[in-house]
Amino acid sequence: RVLITAFHDWRELEGNIWRCRDNPSCRLIYGAPSASPPIERSGPLVRALERLRLAGVDFDFVTLPVLWSTSAGLDLSRYDCVVHLGLGVYDSHSTLLLEEGAYNERRGADAAGNVSGVVIDAGAPQVLAVAPLSQLCRSLDGRQFEGFDLRVASARPQNVFICNETHHRALKAVQGAEPGPARLRAAYFLHIPRALHDDHEVLASAVAAV
């Protein structure tokens, strides 16, 4: 079981934290712009993964408002793997950024104006990484997927917004999971660019390939 999450918009919201218009991650799941989450998840990434016909793999899709602790309601123990998606590449339309580890800090204002500036896990190391996952991430550095270049970025103080907090929580779940059938085995965060010419089909194909 694989959980894929994405984020809603966080700028110029006019009071609507559930809007999906400008953030390509939620557009990959929904497709057309929407003022609130539609009932059906049938966007281009959903369809691209269906075309891969991965036997024995079930996908769930959840979109999150850009609020501090937004992922706290996710029961990660229900899944073998979680892949978080978020907008985070601003200088290219053909680069995907895979995060290796998470930084133990949260800073900035969320979509509701709530400000944070604290460590995530007091007394814990500055960087949280799970060795096998880090090794897999590094093995993908520099590869191409459907015409997109994949780069790997280490946990860093410049990336301490809600995406990092979300990834940190998932890595903690992997790190602390007990052996057995109900455990999260892997967690990844993939930062994506805005879709060139608003073509989310092309972006979805690359994300599905990764």
Side-chain angles (χ1 to χ4, degrees), residues 35-145:
S36 61
I39 294 174
E40 188 177 6
R41 306 308 194 243
S42 58
L45 179 59
V46 179
R47 299 194 303 271
L49 290 170
E50 288 175 349
R51 289 193 296 270
L52 290 179
R53 299 183 183 277
L54 299 175
V57 180
D58 292 323
F59 290 99
D60 284 348
F61 301 89
V62 174
T63 57
L64 303 168
V66 184
L67 303 173
W68 290 115
S69 301
T70 190
S71 66
L74 297 176
D75 181 3
L76 299 179
S77 68
R78 299 177 58 219
Y79 299 95
D80 299 288
C81 176
V82 59
V83 181
H84 298 299
L85 304 175
L87 173 62
V89 178
Y90 298 95
D91 59 352
S92 169
H93 290 288
S94 59
T95 299
L96 303 171
L97 192 65
L98 188 61
E99 298 288 341
E100 181 197 344
Y103 205 78
N104 188 16
E105 188 176 342
R106 42 180 270 175
R107 186 171 63 246
D110 66 12
N114 301 308
V115 178
S116 181
V118 297
V119 297
I120 299 172
D121 189 1
Q126 192 174 61
V127 172
L128 172 62
V130 178
L133 305 184
S134 294
Q135 292 167 6
L136 188 146
C137 289
R138 288 194 294 269
S139 74
L140 299 177
D141 192 24
R143 287 185 55 183
Q144 273 209 342
F145 294 88

Side-chain angles (χ1 to χ4, degrees), residues 181-210:
R183 57 165 293 192
L184 185 67
R185 302 171 187 272
Y188 304 99
F189 198 107
L190 186 66
H191 273 120
I192 62 175
R194 289 190 170 88
L196 183 62
H197 307 308
D198 208 37
D199 187 349
H200 290 88
E201 299 288 343
V202 173
L203 180 58
S205 294
V207 171
V210 175

